[in-house]
Amino acid sequence: MLILRKLLEEDALTLRELASKTGKSTGVLDIAMKKLLRKGIAERTVINGTMRYCIESLDSVASWVKHDMEERQKDMKRKHESFEYFIASLKVDKKRPDMEHFTGEEGLKQAYLRLIEGGQELLTLTPILYRAEDDPLREFKVELFKRRQSRKIFQRIITSDSPVARRYQSRDMFEYRRTSLLPSQDFGITFERTVVGNTVGCFNVQEQTACLLRYPELADAERATFENLWAHAVAHEKGEGSLSASVQAPIKSVVPLSTRLASAFRQFFLSKYSMLLLAICGLVALGVAAGLTRQAENISLQRLQDHLKATAAIGALQIDARDVQAVWGAEDITTEAYARLVASLNTIRRSDPSIRYAYIMRKTDDPNMLAFVADADSLVPSVPLDLNDNRVIGREDELSYPGDPYDISEQQYALEAFMRPMADPTPVTDQWGTLIAGMAPIVNTQGETIATLGVDILSEKLKELSPSISSVFLVFGIVFLLISTVRFMFIHKELLLDVWAAFLRHKRITLLWLTFITLVIVGATLTWQHYAEKRELEEIGKRLMAIAATAASEFDPEDLDQLHWARDMKTEAYQRVFRKLNAIRNANPEVTYAYIMRATEEESTLMFVADADANWNLPIYAKPFGDFSDFDESDEGAASGVMYYQNTMRVMSNGLVSANYGYGELDQWGNLVTAAAPIQIGRYVLGVDVDVDYFK
């Protein structure tokens, strides 16, 4: 082949040239060239006085290949005919009995495996000597059952009636077999005998011996005997007769649907392949559940951060910048300015029970350090307090003096709080615990930031807002069930067909069960959804209550005393109140409505004092969301003096006394979560609303 390729490439070459191009010796090439010359493929020619070799023609190559293939085919045919003749000379008469013996435990296993090679039904007469868990071949028989089931080899067994046999019979539907019982006096077999195809197998498990007898006539006789005994055993189980009754005609064996289903489901759940698939489905479901849970945790963290930023922003408005500029060092703790700062911080903290710490900090010459100005717990820093209620005064209970440094080298983002409200992106651990902080700038009359107000919540609050372990398991269960169902439909089609056949056979009962299960699932889902919605609404209500309680102290009752009629909206007092209401709403984007009401002589009726959407230069109707072309009563802005008739919640009336919230009832402005806090107890109340539908 090398010579042919080179001659095709170079046209005519000498032996030496061929040797240099192929790397072969001239002797080997000379022998090969002589063969090509004899076959008429190559020829010699003299060019410029030198003997060279070239290909005679391409047709000669094709002719040689065709001739060679014909010769090889003839040779293979002769060999095949010779082999067939040899095999035919060794064949024996198939009706001649053939016996194969087996001994020992491994021999028994080989004999059982030989019986199922043909893929035909097994007819077995055997005494039941052991319980399933005591059988010395227990593990092997489980594997044998799996092989029978995968090859659709059903087994019928006849045995003597006994407690052990009845227990054995009770597992038929799981083992892809059917067992019939004969009275003990009518069953005299002491060893196992199985008929399959043309083979009769005899097994003595106690002595660990077995033999397979291949004899068609004997197998037919044993099969007829088995069918005869089977008919009597079935009649005995039904109470229709005994062994002396007339022989019934053998009935063609049909695998019961219940047996097919039970065996298939056992294989579906317990086989190694199925367990591997279930494990993969479980891992996928776990990954999805973990991802969804992580997303829910991120959303909870975002809401908590928004709440902290809003609380800090509202609280910063209550801090007097002149008091902050009057406090610089530990010597200032006895001043009235410091006392007012501590009092304001405690007012802010009381507005939201979840806030653990409230404090004020300012910048220092070191960009990695902030300095404390005031702390809600440090009215008298020299008197120790048990801040974490563990009855031990430790470093985590240390109080802060004005001017004490606080290291932010690993929290550089805290400097953003001097420009705008911000919150810790993740929980931060310091000497006071693991906390999430919200901070907002405190500005002076010139609009310059002089310090920041900080409020801290313990990280455990985030765990309360995050999905519970039960919700994680619920998500995991739903995803796992969905993946398993898809796997069941596309991988186990035969089992799906059997399930469908069972459904058609027992349609009424199946529909009743499916209806019951569906109602249970729907009920559980609705209950869970109601619980989740209620929890979310309560969280919204608590945040609104904190906003209302914090902001209520910003309003001056003297301004409110001047507002009784719509014409009062043109006064400067109304404009101050109006601006503060809108500042509250702007600082808390989730707030839909903000307003102030006063008490009247009727307990069920209140009067609007001011509304963030109503002013003398605004239209009576405005639509904050949606289509401006369709106005209704939900778009009305309430002017001073407009009466408000409360629903049964009485959130606003209760708000005249203390901060509270409520939800679940409609008024003309829609489905709202409402929170209220007193501005002047018994007289004025501040209300803030969130539109539930818009919020979701």
Side-chain angles (χ1 to χ4, degrees):
M1 293 302 295
L2 286 172
I3 292 173
L4 287 175
R5 189 175 68 182
K6 293 300 179 183
L7 291 178
L8 286 171
E9 293 174 353
E10 306 290 343
D11 194 19
L13 297 170
T14 65
L15 281 178
R16 290 184 180 278
E17 289 173 339
L18 284 170
S20 64
K21 292 180 180 295
T22 61
K24 304 293 183 180
S25 66
T26 55
V28 173
L29 293 174
D30 183 57
I31 296 173
M33 185 62 74
K34 288 178 180 179
K35 291 181 180 180
L36 293 175
L37 292 172
R38 287 197 301 268
K39 295 179 183 291
I41 296 174
E43 65 177 358
R44 281 192 292 252
T45 183
V46 178
I47 300 175
N48 296 330
T50 304
M51 182 68 68
R52 294 178 179 273
Y53 296 92
C54 62
I55 295 177
E56 184 175 348
S57 68
L58 293 177
D59 291 338
S60 63
V61 177
S63 176
W64 170 72
V65 171
K66 181 178 179 181
H67 177 73
D68 185 68
M69 289 179 62
E70 290 175 351
E71 289 296 325
R72 289 177 182 273
Q73 288 177 354
K74 290 179 181 179
D75 185 57
M76 291 295 293
K77 186 175 181 180
R78 286 195 300 270
K79 290 181 179 180
H80 178 67
E81 291 174 351
S82 299
F83 183 74
E84 284 186 338
Y85 178 78
F86 173 73
I87 293 298
S89 66
L90 295 178
K91 286 184 177 179
V92 296
D93 187 359
K94 291 196 176 200
K95 293 187 178 181
R96 176 181 173 183
D98 179 28
M99 183 177 291
E100 190 173 3
H101 294 275
F102 302 87
T103 59
E105 185 174 317
E106 291 300 322
L108 288 175
K109 295 179 181 179
Q110 292 181 23
Y112 279 116
L113 293 175
R114 293 284 182 86
L115 284 180
I116 65 172
E117 287 179 353
Q120 302 181 45
E121 183 183 35
L122 302 177
L123 308 177
T124 302
L125 289 163
T126 181
I128 305 300
L129 304 175
Y130 309 99
R131 296 183 301 175
E133 55 269 24
D134 298 331
D135 194 330
L137 298 176
R138 177 186 177 184
E139 294 183 2
F140 170 75
K141 288 187 176 180
V142 172
E143 183 64 28
L144 186 67
F145 149 71
K146 293 179 180 178
R147 295 194 182 191
R148 285 196 300 105
Q149 185 188 32
S150 63
R151 300 183 61 182
K152 307 300 181 187
I153 301 175
F154 192 63
Q155 183 177 24
R156 286 189 287 161
I157 298 174
I158 300 175
T159 187
S160 61
D161 193 353
S162 66
V164 176
R166 285 192 292 272
R167 181 178 179 184
Y168 182 87
Q169 185 187 42
S170 67
R171 296 187 56 80
D172 280 354
M173 65 185 304
F174 300 105
E175 302 289 347
Y176 213 68
R177 69 182 182 223
R178 182 180 176 187
T179 304
S180 289
L181 306 179
L182 278 175
S184 300
Q185 63 271 19
D186 297 333
F187 188 85
I189 298 176
T190 58
F191 62 92
E192 181 178 328
R193 193 166 70 207
T194 299
V195 183
V196 54
N198 294 330
T199 303
V200 179
C202 300
F203 297 84
N204 192 323
V205 179
Q206 291 177 314
E207 296 181 4
Q208 293 190 342
T209 59
C211 71
L212 300 181
L213 183 60
R214 298 179 181 87
Y215 189 8
E217 287 81 0
L218 178 62
D220 292 341
E222 288 291 332
R223 186 174 290 103
T225 302
F226 179 89
E227 295 292 355
N228 186 18
L229 290 175
W230 181 264
H232 284 294
V234 172
H236 168 70
E237 291 178 346
K238 295 180 178 179
E240 298 176 356
S242 62
L243 189 61
S244 59
S246 60
V247 177
Q248 301 179 13
I251 302 173
K252 184 178 180 180
S253 175
V254 178
V255 182
L257 180 60
S258 60
T259 300
R260 295 203 306 270
L261 283 175
S263 298
F265 273 113
R266 178 181 176 181
Q267 182 73 7
F268 178 76
F269 287 108
L270 298 180
S271 68
K272 293 180 180 178
Y273 175 71
S274 292
M275 294 180 72
L276 177 61
L277 285 179
L278 285 173
I280 294 174
C281 293
L283 290 175
V284 173
L286 184 62
V288 173
L292 293 176
T293 302
R294 182 63 179 172
Q295 180 67 17
E297 290 176 349
N298 291 336
I299 293 174
S300 298
L301 177 60
Q302 181 65 44
R303 289 182 177 176
L304 188 59
Q305 289 170 335
D306 291 342
H307 170 60
L308 287 171
K309 288 191 289 186
T311 303
I314 296 297
L317 298 176
Q318 303 179 49
I319 304 299
D320 192 334
R322 292 171 297 180
D323 291 337
V324 175
Q325 291 175 322
V327 178
W328 290 91
E331 65 278 3
D332 295 323
I333 63 173
T334 59
T335 63
E336 292 184 3
Y338 182 78
R340 285 194 295 270
L341 289 177
V342 173
S344 297
L345 290 173
N346 278 282
T347 300
I348 295 169
R349 185 164 62 175
R350 284 195 298 270
S351 68
D352 186 352
S354 62
I355 294 177
R356 188 62 177 268
Y357 303 112
Y359 48 87
I360 298 172
M361 289 184 177
R362 62 162 54 97
K363 289 183 179 180
T364 66
D365 295 336
D366 186 348
N368 293 324
M369 289 289 180
L370 297 181
F372 279 98
V373 177
D375 180 83
D377 295 305
S378 301
L379 180 61
V380 185
S382 59
V383 178
L385 295 176
D386 185 9
L387 298 180
N388 55 7
D389 298 324
N390 64 352
R391 299 184 180 182
V392 176
I393 303 299
R395 186 168 179 268
E396 64 276 9
D397 303 305
E398 184 178 336
L399 301 179
S400 301
Y401 284 85
D404 283 355
Y406 183 79
D407 187 359
I408 60 166
S409 56
E410 297 181 359
Q411 305 170 38
Q412 287 296 310
Y413 54 82
L415 296 175
E416 295 180 17
F418 289 86
M419 296 180 287
R420 57 184 174 273
M422 57 78 61
D424 288 333
T426 57
V428 175
T429 301
D430 58 18
Q431 73 179 75
W432 290 282
T434 301
L435 308 161
I436 302 176
M439 304 179 75
I442 300 172
V443 297
N444 58 19
T445 55
Q446 289 77 34
E448 300 172 343
T449 300
I450 60 173
T452 62
L453 169 69
V455 290
D456 291 350
I457 289 180
L458 292 175
S459 60
E460 283 74 9
K461 183 65 177 178
L462 179 60
K463 296 179 182 178
E464 295 176 7
L465 298 176
S466 299
S468 63
I469 190 67
S470 58
S471 62
V472 176
F473 276 116
L474 178 63
V475 173
F476 170 80
I478 292 173
V479 176
F480 181 76
L481 181 62
L482 180 62
I483 296 175
S484 298
T485 302
V486 173
R487 169 214 163 193
F488 176 77
M489 293 176 63
F490 289 95
I491 299 180
H492 297 268
K493 294 183 179 179
E494 293 185 3
L495 179 56
L496 181 63
L497 293 176
D498 286 340
V499 171
W500 178 249
F503 168 73
L504 295 178
R505 182 175 298 180
H506 307 286
K507 188 181 297 183
R508 182 178 178 183
I509 297 176
T510 305
L511 287 175
L512 288 174
W513 272 106
L514 288 176
T515 302
F516 173 75
I517 293 172
T518 302
L519 290 175
V520 171
I521 294 174
V522 170
T525 303
L526 292 177
T527 301
W528 176 260
Q529 183 179 2
H530 175 72
Y531 169 77
E533 290 179 353
K534 183 178 179 181
R535 181 178 176 181
E536 183 177 13
L537 291 173
E538 288 177 350
E539 290 297 330
I540 297 171
K542 290 178 181 178
R543 291 202 300 273
L544 285 179
M545 186 174 68
I547 293 171
T550 303
S553 61
E554 297 181 29
F555 295 91
D556 188 351
E558 293 183 2
D559 286 342
L560 305 180
D561 289 340
Q562 303 175 40
L563 309 176
H564 295 275
W565 308 101
R567 61 176 178 268
D568 296 331
M569 290 193 295
K570 292 187 176 182
T571 64
E572 185 59 31
Y574 186 88
Q575 297 307 312
R576 285 194 294 269
V577 174
F578 178 79
R579 286 193 294 270
K580 288 182 180 179
L581 288 174
N582 278 277
I584 293 169
R585 189 163 62 177
N586 293 337
N588 302 275
E590 65 187 270
V591 172
T592 307
Y593 304 111
Y595 48 89
I596 296 173
M597 293 182 180
R598 63 159 49 90
T600 65
E601 295 180 357
E602 293 292 335
E603 183 181 355
S604 61
T605 305
L606 296 175
M607 179 188 294
F608 276 97
V609 175
D611 183 2
D613 294 310
N615 207 342
W616 66 272
N617 56 353
L618 295 178
I620 298 176
Y621 288 91
K623 199 171 187 70
F625 313 107
D627 184 6
F628 282 82
S629 63
D630 183 19
F631 296 107
D632 56 30
E633 62 181 2
S634 64
D635 307 310
E636 182 183 359
S640 297
V642 173
M643 294 295 179
Y644 178 76
Y645 301 95
Q646 299 181 87
N647 51 32
T648 56
M649 285 195 305
R650 301 292 176 91
V651 174
M652 301 307 295
S653 291
N654 296 333
L656 290 167
V657 179
S658 62
N660 73 110
Y661 69 91
Y663 56 87
E665 293 194 21
L666 292 171
D667 61 16
Q668 74 179 71
W669 287 280
N671 183 20
L672 306 170
V673 181
T674 300
I679 297 175
Q680 190 175 38
I681 295 178
R683 293 189 63 193
Y684 297 107
V685 59
L686 170 67
V688 287
D689 295 337
V690 166
D691 189 318
V692 174
D693 297 329
Y694 173 71
F695 182 85
K696 289 183 177 180

